[in-house]
Coordinates of all heavy atoms in Angstrom, one line a residue:
V65 N 37.0 -8.6 -16.6 CA 37.6 -8.4 -15.3 C 38.6 -9.6 -15.2 O 38.3 -10.7 -15.4 CB 36.6 -8.4 -14.2 CG1 37.3 -8.4 -12.8 CG2 35.7 -7.3 -14.3
S66 N 39.8 -9.3 -14.8 CA 40.8 -10.4 -14.5 C 41.3 -10.3 -13.1 O 41.3 -9.2 -12.5 CB 41.9 -10.3 -15.6 OG 42.6 -9.1 -15.4
T67 N 41.8 -11.4 -12.6 CA 42.4 -11.4 -11.3 C 43.9 -11.5 -11.4 O 44.4 -12.3 -12.2 CB 41.8 -12.5 -10.4 OG1 42.1 -13.7 -11.1 CG2 40.3 -12.4 -10.2
Q68 N 44.6 -10.7 -10.7 CA 46.1 -10.7 -10.8 C 46.7 -11.9 -10.2 O 47.6 -12.5 -10.7 CB 46.6 -9.4 -10.0 CG 46.1 -8.1 -10.6 CD 46.9 -7.8 -11.9 OE1 48.0 -8.3 -12.1 NE2 46.3 -7.1 -12.8
S69 N 46.1 -12.4 -9.1 CA 46.8 -13.5 -8.3 C 46.7 -14.8 -9.1 O 47.6 -15.6 -9.0 CB 46.2 -13.6 -6.9 OG 44.8 -13.9 -7.0
T70 N 45.6 -15.1 -9.7 CA 45.4 -16.4 -10.4 C 45.5 -16.4 -11.9 O 45.7 -17.4 -12.5 CB 44.1 -17.1 -10.0 OG1 43.1 -16.2 -10.6 CG2 43.9 -17.2 -8.5
G71 N 45.4 -15.2 -12.4 CA 45.5 -15.1 -13.9 C 44.2 -15.6 -14.5 O 44.1 -15.7 -15.7
L72 N 43.1 -15.9 -13.7 CA 41.9 -16.4 -14.3 C 41.1 -15.2 -14.8 O 41.2 -14.1 -14.2 CB 41.1 -17.1 -13.3 CG 41.7 -18.4 -12.8 CD1 40.8 -19.0 -11.7 CD2 41.8 -19.4 -13.9
R73 N 40.3 -15.4 -15.8 CA 39.5 -14.3 -16.3 C 38.0 -14.7 -16.1 O 37.6 -15.8 -16.4 CB 39.8 -14.2 -17.8 CG 39.1 -13.0 -18.4 CD 39.7 -12.8 -19.8 NE 38.9 -11.8 -20.5 CZ 39.2 -10.5 -20.4 NH1 40.2 -10.1 -19.7 NH2 38.5 -9.6 -21.0
A74 N 37.3 -13.8 -15.5 CA 35.9 -14.0 -15.2 C 35.1 -13.5 -16.3 O 35.4 -12.5 -16.9 CB 35.5 -13.4 -13.9
N75 N 34.0 -14.2 -16.7 CA 33.1 -13.7 -17.7 C 32.1 -12.8 -17.0 O 31.3 -13.2 -16.2 CB 32.3 -14.9 -18.3 CG 33.2 -15.7 -19.2 OD1 34.1 -15.1 -19.8 ND2 32.9 -17.0 -19.3
V76 N 32.2 -11.5 -17.4 CA 31.3 -10.5 -16.8 C 30.6 -9.9 -18.0 O 31.2 -9.4 -19.0 CB 32.1 -9.4 -16.0 CG1 31.1 -8.3 -15.6 CG2 32.8 -10.1 -14.9
R77 N 29.3 -9.9 -18.0 CA 28.5 -9.3 -19.0 C 27.9 -8.0 -18.5 O 27.3 -7.9 -17.5 CB 27.3 -10.3 -19.4 CG 26.5 -9.8 -20.5 CD 25.5 -10.9 -21.0 NE 24.4 -11.1 -20.1 CZ 23.3 -10.4 -20.1 NH1 23.1 -9.5 -21.1 NH2 22.3 -10.6 -19.3
K78 N 28.1 -7.0 -19.3 CA 27.6 -5.7 -19.0 C 26.1 -5.7 -19.2 O 25.6 -6.1 -20.2 CB 28.2 -4.6 -19.8 CG 27.8 -3.2 -19.4 CD 28.6 -2.2 -20.2 CE 28.3 -0.8 -19.7 NZ 29.0 0.2 -20.4
M79 N 25.3 -5.2 -18.2 CA 23.8 -5.2 -18.3 C 23.4 -3.9 -18.9 O 23.9 -2.9 -18.6 CB 23.2 -5.5 -17.0 CG 23.5 -6.9 -16.4 SD 22.5 -7.3 -15.0 CE 21.0 -7.7 -15.8
S80 N 22.4 -4.0 -19.7 CA 21.8 -2.7 -20.3 C 20.4 -2.6 -19.6 O 19.9 -3.4 -18.9 CB 21.6 -2.9 -21.8 OG 20.7 -3.8 -22.1
D81 N 19.8 -1.4 -19.9 CA 18.4 -1.2 -19.4 C 17.4 -2.2 -19.9 O 16.4 -2.5 -19.3 CB 18.0 0.2 -19.8 CG 18.7 1.3 -19.1 OD1 19.2 1.0 -18.0 OD2 18.7 2.5 -19.5
D82 N 17.7 -2.8 -21.1 CA 16.8 -3.8 -21.6 C 16.8 -5.1 -20.9 O 15.9 -5.9 -21.0 CB 17.1 -4.1 -23.1 CG 16.9 -2.9 -24.0 OD1 16.0 -2.0 -23.6 OD2 17.5 -2.8 -25.1
D83 N 17.8 -5.3 -20.0 CA 17.9 -6.5 -19.2 C 17.0 -6.5 -18.0 O 16.8 -7.5 -17.3 CB 19.3 -6.8 -18.8 CG 20.2 -7.1 -20.0 OD1 19.7 -7.7 -21.0 OD2 21.4 -6.8 -20.0
W84 N 16.4 -5.3 -17.7 CA 15.6 -5.2 -16.5 C 14.2 -5.1 -16.9 O 13.8 -4.4 -17.8 CB 16.1 -4.0 -15.7 CG 17.5 -4.1 -15.2 CD1 18.6 -3.6 -15.8 CD2 17.9 -4.8 -14.1 NE1 19.7 -3.9 -15.1 CE2 19.3 -4.7 -14.0 CE3 17.3 -5.6 -13.1 CZ2 20.1 -5.3 -13.0 CZ3 18.1 -6.2 -12.1 CH2 19.4 -6.0 -12.1
S85 N 13.3 -5.7 -16.1 CA 11.9 -5.6 -16.4 C 11.2 -4.8 -15.3 O 11.6 -4.8 -14.1 CB 11.3 -7.0 -16.4 OG 9.9 -6.9 -16.5
D86 N 10.2 -4.0 -15.7 CA 9.4 -3.2 -14.7 C 8.4 -4.1 -14.1 O 7.9 -3.8 -13.0 CB 8.7 -2.0 -15.4 CG 9.7 -1.0 -15.9 OD1 10.8 -0.9 -15.3 OD2 9.3 -0.2 -16.8
E87 N 8.1 -5.2 -14.7 CA 7.1 -6.1 -14.1 C 7.8 -7.1 -13.1 O 8.8 -7.8 -13.5 CB 6.4 -6.9 -15.2 CG 5.5 -6.1 -16.0 CD 4.7 -6.9 -17.0 OE1 4.5 -8.1 -16.7 OE2 4.3 -6.4 -18.0
E88 N 7.3 -7.2 -11.9 CA 7.9 -8.1 -10.9 C 7.4 -9.5 -11.2 O 6.3 -9.7 -11.6 CB 7.5 -7.6 -9.5 CG 8.1 -6.3 -9.1 CD 9.5 -6.3 -8.9 OE1 10.1 -7.4 -8.5 OE2 10.2 -5.3 -9.1
T89 N 8.3 -10.4 -10.9 CA 7.9 -11.8 -11.0 C 7.7 -12.5 -9.6 O 7.9 -13.6 -9.4 CB 9.0 -12.6 -11.8 OG1 10.2 -12.5 -11.1 CG2 9.0 -12.1 -13.2
L90 N 7.3 -11.7 -8.7 CA 7.0 -12.1 -7.3 C 5.7 -12.9 -7.3 O 4.8 -12.6 -8.0 CB 6.9 -11.0 -6.4 CG 8.2 -10.2 -6.1 CD1 7.8 -8.9 -5.3 CD2 9.2 -11.0 -5.4
P91 N 5.6 -13.9 -6.4 CA 4.4 -14.6 -6.2 C 3.3 -13.6 -5.7 O 3.6 -12.6 -5.1 CB 4.7 -15.6 -5.1 CG 6.1 -15.7 -5.0 CD 6.7 -14.4 -5.5
E92 N 2.1 -13.8 -6.1 CA 1.0 -12.9 -5.7 C 0.9 -12.5 -4.3 O 0.6 -11.4 -3.9 CB -0.4 -13.5 -6.2 CG -1.5 -12.5 -6.3 CD -1.3 -11.4 -7.3 OE1 -0.7 -11.7 -8.4 OE2 -1.7 -10.3 -7.1
A93 N 1.2 -13.5 -3.4 CA 1.1 -13.3 -2.0 C 2.2 -12.3 -1.5 O 2.0 -11.7 -0.4 CB 1.3 -14.6 -1.2
L94 N 3.3 -12.1 -2.2 CA 4.3 -11.2 -1.8 C 4.2 -9.8 -2.4 O 4.9 -8.9 -2.1 CB 5.7 -11.7 -2.2 CG 6.1 -13.0 -1.5 CD1 7.4 -13.5 -2.0 CD2 6.1 -12.9 0.0
K95 N 3.3 -9.6 -3.4 CA 3.1 -8.3 -4.0 C 2.3 -7.4 -3.1 O 1.4 -7.8 -2.4 CB 2.4 -8.5 -5.3 CG 3.2 -9.1 -6.4 CD 2.4 -9.2 -7.7 CE 3.3 -9.9 -8.8 NZ 2.5 -10.0 -10.1
A96 N 2.7 -6.1 -3.2 CA 2.0 -5.1 -2.4 C 0.6 -4.9 -3.0 O 0.4 -4.9 -4.2 CB 2.7 -3.8 -2.4
P97 N -0.4 -4.8 -2.2 CA -1.8 -4.6 -2.7 C -1.9 -3.2 -3.4 O -1.2 -2.2 -3.0 CB -2.7 -4.7 -1.4 CG -1.8 -4.5 -0.3 CD -0.4 -4.8 -0.7
E98 N -2.8 -3.1 -4.3 CA -3.1 -1.8 -5.0 C -4.0 -1.0 -4.2 O -5.0 -1.4 -3.7 CB -3.7 -2.1 -6.3 CG -4.0 -0.9 -7.1 CD -4.7 -1.1 -8.4 OE1 -4.8 -2.3 -8.8 OE2 -5.2 -0.2 -9.0
V99 N -3.6 0.3 -4.0 CA -4.4 1.2 -3.2 C -5.5 1.8 -4.2 O -5.2 2.3 -5.3 CB -3.6 2.4 -2.7 CG1 -4.5 3.5 -2.0 CG2 -2.6 1.9 -1.7
I100 N -6.8 1.6 -3.8 CA -7.9 2.0 -4.7 C -8.6 3.3 -4.2 O -9.5 3.8 -4.8 CB -8.9 0.9 -4.9 CG1 -9.5 0.4 -3.6 CG2 -8.3 -0.3 -5.7 CD1 -10.7 -0.5 -3.8
G101 N -8.1 3.8 -3.0 CA -8.7 5.0 -2.5 C -8.1 5.4 -1.2 O -7.4 4.6 -0.5
N102 N -8.2 6.7 -0.9 CA -7.7 7.2 0.4 C -8.9 7.7 1.2 O -9.7 8.4 0.7 CB -6.7 8.4 0.2 CG -5.5 8.0 -0.6 OD1 -4.9 6.9 -0.3 ND2 -5.1 8.7 -1.6
Y103 N -8.9 7.3 2.5 CA -10.1 7.7 3.3 C -9.6 8.2 4.7 O -8.5 7.8 5.2 CB -10.9 6.4 3.6 CG -11.7 6.0 2.3 CD1 -11.1 5.3 1.3 CD2 -13.0 6.4 2.2 CE1 -11.8 5.0 0.1 CE2 -13.7 6.0 1.0 CZ -13.1 5.4 0.0 OH -13.8 5.0 -1.1
R104 N -10.4 9.1 5.2 CA -10.1 9.7 6.5 C -11.1 9.1 7.5 O -12.3 8.9 7.3 CB -10.3 11.2 6.5 CG -9.9 11.9 7.8 CD -10.3 13.4 7.8 NE -11.8 13.6 7.7 CZ -12.6 13.6 8.8 NH1 -12.1 13.4 10.0 NH2 -13.8 13.8 8.7
V105 N -10.5 8.8 8.7 CA -11.4 8.2 9.8 C -12.2 9.2 10.4 O -11.8 10.3 10.8 CB -10.5 7.5 10.8 CG1 -11.3 6.9 11.9 CG2 -9.6 6.4 10.2
K106 N -13.6 9.0 10.4 CA -14.5 9.9 11.0 C -14.6 9.8 12.5 O -14.9 10.8 13.2 CB -15.9 9.7 10.4 CG -16.0 10.0 8.9 CD -17.4 9.9 8.4 CE -18.1 8.6 8.6 NZ -19.4 8.5 7.9
M107 N -14.5 8.6 13.0 CA -14.6 8.4 14.5 C -13.8 7.2 14.9 O -13.5 6.3 14.0 CB -16.0 8.2 14.9 CG -16.7 7.0 14.3 SD -18.5 7.0 14.7 CE -19.1 7.0 13.0
D108 N -13.4 7.1 16.1 CA -12.5 6.0 16.6 C -13.3 4.7 16.5 O -14.5 4.6 16.7 CB -12.1 6.2 18.1 CG -11.2 7.4 18.3 OD1 -10.7 8.0 17.3 OD2 -10.9 7.7 19.4
Y109 N -12.5 3.6 16.2 CA -13.1 2.3 16.2 C -12.1 1.3 16.9 O -10.9 1.2 16.5 CB -13.3 1.8 14.7 CG -13.6 0.4 14.6 CD1 -14.9 -0.1 14.9 CD2 -12.7 -0.5 14.0 CE1 -15.2 -1.4 14.8 CE2 -13.0 -1.9 13.8 CZ -14.3 -2.3 14.2 OH -14.6 -3.6 14.0
L110 N -12.5 0.7 17.9 CA -11.7 -0.3 18.7 C -12.1 -1.7 18.2 O -13.2 -2.1 18.3 CB -11.9 -0.2 20.2 CG -11.5 1.2 20.8 CD1 -11.8 1.2 22.2 CD2 -10.0 1.4 20.5
P111 N -11.1 -2.4 17.6 CA -11.4 -3.7 16.9 C -11.7 -4.8 17.9 O -11.1 -4.9 19.0 CB -10.1 -4.0 16.2 CG -9.0 -3.3 16.9 CD -9.7 -2.0 17.5
P112 N -12.7 -5.6 17.6 CA -13.0 -6.8 18.5 C -12.0 -7.9 18.3 O -11.9 -8.8 19.2 CB -14.4 -7.2 18.0 CG -14.4 -6.8 16.6 CD -13.6 -5.5 16.5
T113 N -11.3 -8.0 17.2 CA -10.3 -9.1 16.9 C -9.1 -8.5 16.2 O -9.1 -7.4 15.8 CB -10.9 -10.2 16.0 OG1 -11.2 -9.6 14.8 CG2 -12.2 -10.8 16.6
N114 N -8.0 -9.3 16.1 CA -6.8 -8.9 15.5 C -6.8 -8.7 14.0 O -6.0 -8.0 13.5 CB -5.7 -9.9 15.9 CG -5.2 -9.8 17.3 OD1 -5.5 -8.8 18.0 ND2 -4.6 -10.8 17.8
D115 N -7.8 -9.2 13.4 CA -7.9 -9.0 11.9 C -8.6 -7.7 11.5 O -8.7 -7.3 10.4 CB -8.6 -10.2 11.2 CG -10.0 -10.4 11.6 OD1 -10.4 -10.0 12.7 OD2 -10.7 -11.1 10.9
H116 N -9.1 -7.0 12.5 CA -9.7 -5.6 12.3 C -8.7 -4.6 12.6 O -7.8 -4.7 13.5 CB -10.9 -5.4 13.3 CG -12.1 -6.3 13.0 ND1 -13.3 -5.7 12.7 CD2 -12.2 -7.6 12.8 CE1 -14.2 -6.7 12.5 NE2 -13.5 -7.8 12.5
L117 N -8.8 -3.4 11.9 CA -7.9 -2.3 12.2 C -8.4 -1.5 13.3 O -9.6 -1.3 13.5 CB -7.8 -1.4 10.9 CG -7.0 -1.8 9.7 CD1 -7.2 -0.8 8.6 CD2 -5.6 -2.0 10.1
T118 N -7.5 -0.9 14.1 CA -7.8 0.2 15.0 C -7.9 1.5 14.2 O -6.9 1.8 13.5 CB -6.7 0.3 16.1 OG1 -6.7 -1.0 16.8 CG2 -7.0 1.4 17.1
L119 N -9.0 2.2 14.3 CA -9.1 3.4 13.6 C -9.2 4.6 14.7 O -9.9 4.5 15.6 CB -10.4 3.5 12.8 CG -10.5 2.4 11.7 CD1 -11.9 2.5 11.0 CD2 -9.4 2.5 10.7
I120 N -8.4 5.6 14.4 CA -8.3 6.8 15.3 C -8.8 8.0 14.4 O -8.3 8.2 13.3 CB -6.9 7.1 15.8 CG1 -6.4 5.8 16.5 CG2 -6.9 8.3 16.7 CD1 -7.2 5.4 17.8
Q121 N -9.7 8.8 14.9 CA -10.3 9.9 14.2 C -9.2 10.7 13.5 O -8.1 11.0 14.1 CB -11.1 10.8 15.1 CG -11.8 11.9 14.4 CD -12.7 12.7 15.3 OE1 -12.8 12.4 16.5 NE2 -13.4 13.7 14.8
D122 N -9.4 11.1 12.3 CA -8.6 11.9 11.4 C -7.3 11.1 10.8 O -6.6 11.7 10.1 CB -8.1 13.2 12.1 CG -9.3 14.1 12.3 OD1 -10.2 14.1 11.4 OD2 -9.3 14.9 13.3
D123 N -7.1 9.9 11.2 CA -6.1 9.1 10.6 C -6.4 8.8 9.1 O -7.6 8.9 8.7 CB -5.9 7.7 11.3 CG -5.0 7.8 12.5 OD1 -4.5 8.9 12.8 OD2 -4.9 6.8 13.2
L124 N -5.4 8.5 8.3 CA -5.6 8.2 6.9 C -5.6 6.7 6.7 O -4.7 6.0 7.3 CB -4.5 8.8 6.1 CG -4.5 8.7 4.6 CD1 -5.7 9.4 4.0 CD2 -3.3 9.2 3.9
V125 N -6.5 6.2 5.9 CA -6.6 4.8 5.6 C -6.5 4.6 4.1 O -7.1 5.3 3.3 CB -7.9 4.1 6.1 CG1 -8.0 2.7 5.7 CG2 -8.1 4.3 7.6
Y126 N -5.6 3.7 3.7 CA -5.4 3.3 2.3 C -6.3 2.1 2.0 O -6.2 1.1 2.7 CB -4.0 3.0 2.0 CG -3.0 4.1 2.3 CD1 -2.2 4.1 3.4 CD2 -3.0 5.3 1.5 CE1 -1.3 5.1 3.6 CE2 -2.1 6.3 1.7 CZ -1.3 6.2 2.8 OH -0.4 7.3 3.1
L127 N -7.3 2.3 1.1 CA -8.2 1.2 0.8 C -7.7 0.2 -0.2 O -7.2 0.7 -1.3 CB -9.5 1.8 0.3 CG -10.6 0.8 0.0 CD1 -11.1 0.0 1.2 CD2 -11.8 1.6 -0.6
F128 N -7.8 -1.1 0.1 CA -7.3 -2.1 -0.8 C -8.5 -2.8 -1.5 O -8.5 -3.1 -2.7 CB -6.4 -3.1 -0.1 CG -5.2 -2.6 0.5 CD1 -4.7 -3.1 1.6 CD2 -4.5 -1.5 -0.1 CE1 -3.5 -2.7 2.2 CE2 -3.4 -1.0 0.5 CZ -2.8 -1.6 1.6
R129 N -9.5 -3.2 -0.7 CA -10.6 -4.0 -1.3 C -11.9 -3.6 -0.6 O -11.9 -3.4 0.7 CB -10.4 -5.5 -1.1 CG -9.2 -6.1 -1.9 CD -9.2 -7.6 -1.8 NE -9.2 -8.1 -0.4 CZ -9.6 -9.2 0.0 NH1 -10.2 -10.1 -0.9 NH2 -9.5 -9.6 1.2
K130 N -13.0 -3.6 -1.3 CA -14.3 -3.3 -0.7 C -15.1 -4.6 -0.6 O -16.2 -4.6 0.1 CB -15.1 -2.3 -1.6 CG -14.6 -0.9 -1.5 CD -15.5 0.1 -2.2 CE -15.0 1.5 -2.0 NZ -15.9 2.4 -2.7
E131 N -14.7 -5.7 -1.2 CA -15.4 -7.0 -1.1 C -14.4 -8.1 -1.5 O -13.3 -7.9 -2.0 CB -16.6 -7.0 -2.1 CG -16.2 -6.7 -3.5 CD -17.5 -6.6 -4.4 OE1 -18.6 -6.4 -3.9 OE2 -17.3 -6.7 -5.6
G132 N -14.8 -9.3 -1.1 CA -14.0 -10.5 -1.5 C -13.9 -11.4 -0.3 O -14.5 -11.2 0.8
P133 N -13.1 -12.5 -0.5 CA -13.0 -13.5 0.6 C -12.5 -12.8 1.9 O -11.5 -12.0 1.9 CB -12.0 -14.4 0.1 CG -11.9 -14.2 -1.4 CD -12.3 -12.8 -1.6
G134 N -13.1 -13.1 3.0 CA -12.7 -12.6 4.3 C -13.1 -11.2 4.6 O -12.8 -10.7 5.7
I135 N -13.9 -10.6 3.8 CA -14.4 -9.3 4.0 C -16.0 -9.3 4.2 O -16.7 -9.5 3.2 CB -14.1 -8.3 2.9 CG1 -12.6 -8.3 2.7 CG2 -14.6 -6.9 3.2 CD1 -12.1 -7.4 1.6
P136 N -16.5 -9.2 5.4 CA -17.9 -9.3 5.7 C -18.6 -8.0 5.1 O -18.0 -7.0 4.8 CB -18.0 -9.3 7.2 CG -16.7 -9.1 7.8 CD -15.7 -9.0 6.7
D137 N -19.9 -8.2 4.9 CA -20.7 -7.0 4.4 C -20.6 -5.8 5.4 O -20.5 -6.0 6.6 CB -22.2 -7.4 4.4 CG -22.6 -8.4 3.3 OD1 -21.7 -8.5 2.3 OD2 -23.6 -9.0 3.3
G138 N -20.4 -4.7 4.8 CA -20.3 -3.4 5.6 C -18.8 -3.2 6.0 O -18.6 -2.2 6.7
F139 N -17.9 -4.0 5.6 CA -16.5 -3.9 6.0 C -15.7 -3.7 4.7 O -16.0 -4.2 3.6 CB -16.0 -5.0 6.8 CG -16.4 -5.0 8.2 CD1 -17.7 -5.3 8.6 CD2 -15.6 -4.5 9.2 CE1 -18.2 -5.2 9.9 CE2 -16.0 -4.5 10.6 CZ -17.3 -4.8 10.9
W140 N -14.5 -3.1 4.8 CA -13.5 -3.0 3.8 C -12.2 -3.4 4.3 O -12.0 -3.6 5.5 CB -13.4 -1.5 3.3 CG -14.6 -1.0 2.6 CD1 -15.7 -1.7 2.1 CD2 -14.9 0.4 2.3 NE1 -16.6 -0.8 1.5 CE2 -16.1 0.5 1.6 CE3 -14.2 1.6 2.6 CZ2 -16.7 1.7 1.2 CZ3 -14.8 2.8 2.1 CH2 -16.0 2.8 1.5
E141 N -11.2 -3.6 3.4 CA -9.9 -4.0 3.8 C -8.9 -2.8 3.4 O -9.0 -2.3 2.3 CB -9.4 -5.3 3.1 CG -8.0 -5.7 3.4 CD -7.5 -6.9 2.7 OE1 -7.6 -6.8 1.4 OE2 -7.1 -7.8 3.3
G142 N -8.0 -2.5 4.3 CA -7.1 -1.4 4.0 C -6.0 -1.4 5.0 O -5.7 -2.4 5.7
E143 N -5.2 -0.3 5.0 CA -4.0 -0.2 5.9 C -4.0 1.2 6.5 O -4.3 2.2 5.8 CB -2.8 -0.4 5.0 CG -1.5 -0.1 5.7 CD -0.3 -0.1 4.8 OE1 -0.3 -0.9 3.9 OE2 0.6 0.7 5.0
T144 N -3.6 1.3 7.7 CA -3.3 2.5 8.4 C -2.1 2.3 9.3 O -2.0 1.2 10.0 CB -4.5 3.1 9.2 OG1 -4.2 4.4 9.7 CG2 -5.0 2.2 10.3
K145 N -1.2 3.2 9.3 CA 0.0 3.2 10.2 C 0.8 1.9 10.0 O 1.3 1.3 10.9 CB -0.4 3.4 11.6 CG -1.0 4.7 11.9 CD -1.3 4.9 13.4 CE -1.9 6.2 13.6 NZ -2.3 6.4 15.0
G146 N 0.8 1.3 8.7 CA 1.6 0.2 8.4 C 0.9 -1.2 8.8 O 1.5 -2.2 8.7
V147 N -0.3 -1.1 9.3 CA -1.1 -2.3 9.7 C -2.2 -2.5 8.7 O -3.0 -1.6 8.4 CB -1.6 -2.2 11.1 CG1 -2.4 -3.4 11.5 CG2 -0.4 -1.9 12.1
T148 N -2.4 -3.8 8.2 CA -3.4 -4.1 7.3 C -4.5 -4.9 8.0 O -4.2 -5.7 8.9 CB -2.9 -5.0 6.1 OG1 -1.9 -4.2 5.5 CG2 -4.0 -5.4 5.2
G149 N -5.8 -4.6 7.7 CA -6.9 -5.4 8.3 C -8.2 -4.9 7.7 O -8.3 -4.0 6.8
I150 N -9.3 -5.4 8.3 CA -10.6 -4.9 7.9 C -11.1 -3.9 8.8 O -10.7 -3.9 10.0 CB -11.6 -6.1 7.7 CG1 -11.8 -6.9 9.0 CG2 -11.1 -7.1 6.6 CD1 -12.8 -8.0 9.0
F151 N -12.1 -3.1 8.4 CA -12.7 -2.1 9.2 C -14.1 -1.7 8.7 O -14.4 -2.0 7.5 CB -11.8 -0.8 9.2 CG -11.6 -0.2 7.8 CD1 -12.4 0.8 7.3 CD2 -10.5 -0.7 7.0 CE1 -12.2 1.3 6.1 CE2 -10.3 -0.2 5.7 CZ -11.2 0.8 5.3
P152 N -14.9 -1.2 9.5 CA -16.3 -0.8 9.1 C -16.2 0.4 8.1 O -15.6 1.4 8.4 CB -17.0 -0.5 10.4 CG -16.0 -0.3 11.4 CD -14.7 -1.0 11.0
A153 N -16.8 0.2 7.0 CA -16.8 1.3 5.9 C -17.5 2.5 6.4 O -17.1 3.6 6.0 CB -17.5 0.8 4.7
S154 N -18.4 2.4 7.3 CA -19.2 3.6 7.8 C -18.3 4.5 8.7 O -18.7 5.6 9.0 CB -20.4 3.2 8.6 OG -20.1 2.4 9.7
Y155 N -17.1 4.1 9.1 CA -16.3 4.9 10.0 C -15.3 5.8 9.2 O -14.5 6.5 9.8 CB -15.5 3.9 10.9 CG -16.2 3.5 12.1 CD1 -17.3 2.6 12.0 CD2 -15.9 3.9 13.4 CE1 -18.0 2.2 13.1 CE2 -16.6 3.4 14.5 CZ -17.7 2.6 14.3 OH -18.4 2.2 15.5
V156 N -15.3 5.7 7.9 CA -14.4 6.5 7.1 C -15.1 7.3 6.0 O -16.3 7.0 5.7 CB -13.3 5.6 6.4 CG1 -12.5 4.9 7.4 CG2 -14.0 4.6 5.4
E157 N -14.5 8.3 5.5 CA -15.0 9.1 4.4 C -13.9 9.4 3.4 O -12.7 9.5 3.8 CB -15.6 10.4 4.9 CG -14.6 11.4 5.5 CD -15.3 12.6 6.2 OE1 -16.5 12.7 6.1 OE2 -14.6 13.4 6.7
A158 N -14.2 9.4 2.1 CA -13.3 9.7 1.1 C -12.5 11.0 1.3 O -13.1 12.0 1.7 CB -13.9 9.6 -0.3
V159 N -11.2 11.0 1.0 CA -10.4 12.2 1.1 C -10.5 12.9 -0.3 O -10.3 12.3 -1.3 CB -9.0 11.8 1.4 CG1 -8.1 13.1 1.3 CG2 -8.8 11.2 2.8
S160 N -10.9 14.2 -0.2 CA -10.9 15.0 -1.4 C -9.8 16.0 -1.3 O -9.6 16.7 -0.4 CB -12.2 15.8 -1.4 OG -12.2 16.7 -2.5
Y161 N -9.0 15.9 -2.4 CA -7.8 16.8 -2.5 C -8.1 18.1 -3.2 O -7.3 18.9 -3.4 CB -6.6 16.1 -3.1 CG -6.1 15.0 -2.2 CD1 -6.4 13.7 -2.6 CD2 -5.4 15.2 -1.1 CE1 -6.0 12.6 -1.8 CE2 -5.0 14.2 -0.2 CZ -5.2 12.9 -0.6 OH -4.8 11.9 0.2
T162 N -9.3 18.3 -3.7 CA -9.7 19.4 -4.5 C -9.7 20.7 -3.7 O -9.5 21.8 -4.3 CB -11.0 19.2 -5.2 OG1 -12.0 19.0 -4.2 CG2 -11.0 18.1 -6.2
H163 N -9.9 20.6 -2.4 CA -10.0 21.8 -1.6 C -8.6 22.3 -1.2 O -8.5 23.4 -0.6 CB -10.9 21.6 -0.4 CG -10.2 20.6 0.6 ND1 -10.3 19.3 0.4 CD2 -9.5 20.8 1.8 CE1 -9.6 18.7 1.4 NE2 -9.2 19.6 2.2
L164 N -7.6 21.6 -1.4 CA -6.2 22.0 -1.0 C -5.7 23.0 -2.0 O -5.9 22.9 -3.2 CB -5.3 20.8 -1.0 CG -5.7 19.6 0.0 CD1 -4.7 18.5 -0.2 CD2 -5.7 20.1 1.4
T165 N -4.9 24.0 -1.4 CA -4.3 25.0 -2.3 C -2.8 24.9 -2.0 O -2.4 24.7 -0.8 CB -4.8 26.4 -2.0 OG1 -4.7 26.7 -0.6 CG2 -6.3 26.5 -2.4
L166 N -2.0 25.0 -3.0 CA -0.6 25.0 -2.9 C -0.1 26.4 -2.6 O -0.6 27.4 -3.1 CB 0.1 24.5 -4.2 CG -0.2 23.1 -4.6 CD1 0.4 22.8 -5.9 CD2 0.3 22.1 -3.5
P167 N 0.9 26.5 -1.7 CA 1.4 27.9 -1.4 C 2.1 28.5 -2.6 O 2.7 27.8 -3.5 CB 2.5 27.6 -0.3 CG 2.8 26.1 -0.4 CD 1.6 25.5 -1.0
T168 N 2.0 29.8 -2.7 CA 2.6 30.5 -3.8 C 4.0 30.9 -3.4 O 4.3 31.3 -2.3 CB 1.8 31.7 -4.3 OG1 1.6 32.6 -3.1 CG2 0.5 31.3 -4.8
I169 N 4.9 30.9 -4.4 CA 6.3 31.3 -4.1 C 6.5 32.7 -4.7 O 6.3 32.9 -5.9 CB 7.3 30.3 -4.7 CG1 7.1 28.9 -4.1 CG2 8.7 30.7 -4.5 CD1 7.9 27.8 -4.8
A170 N 6.9 33.6 -3.8 CA 7.0 35.0 -4.2 C 8.4 35.2 -4.9 O 9.3 34.5 -4.8 CB 6.9 35.9 -3.1

């Protein structure tokens, strides 16, 4: 690429697919958590603190962790409606997609 006004020539290297990596080099704290399960809320849960999720019956919860630092016994960590927090495991049930049928196209 050259510029008309100054006559300077810029070094531009064409990038190929090999120059891009599928692996992110983000710090661990900035990476999105891995979803290990999908759960449906069985009954409403009003959280006692801000680190707990509000659960509304029939909402979908994406499960991130079942144990670890900051997760008390009987609680899991997940996300619903874009909010992450802990919630009681007994308030959700695994979502099964085996009963779903796809519409047929005539």
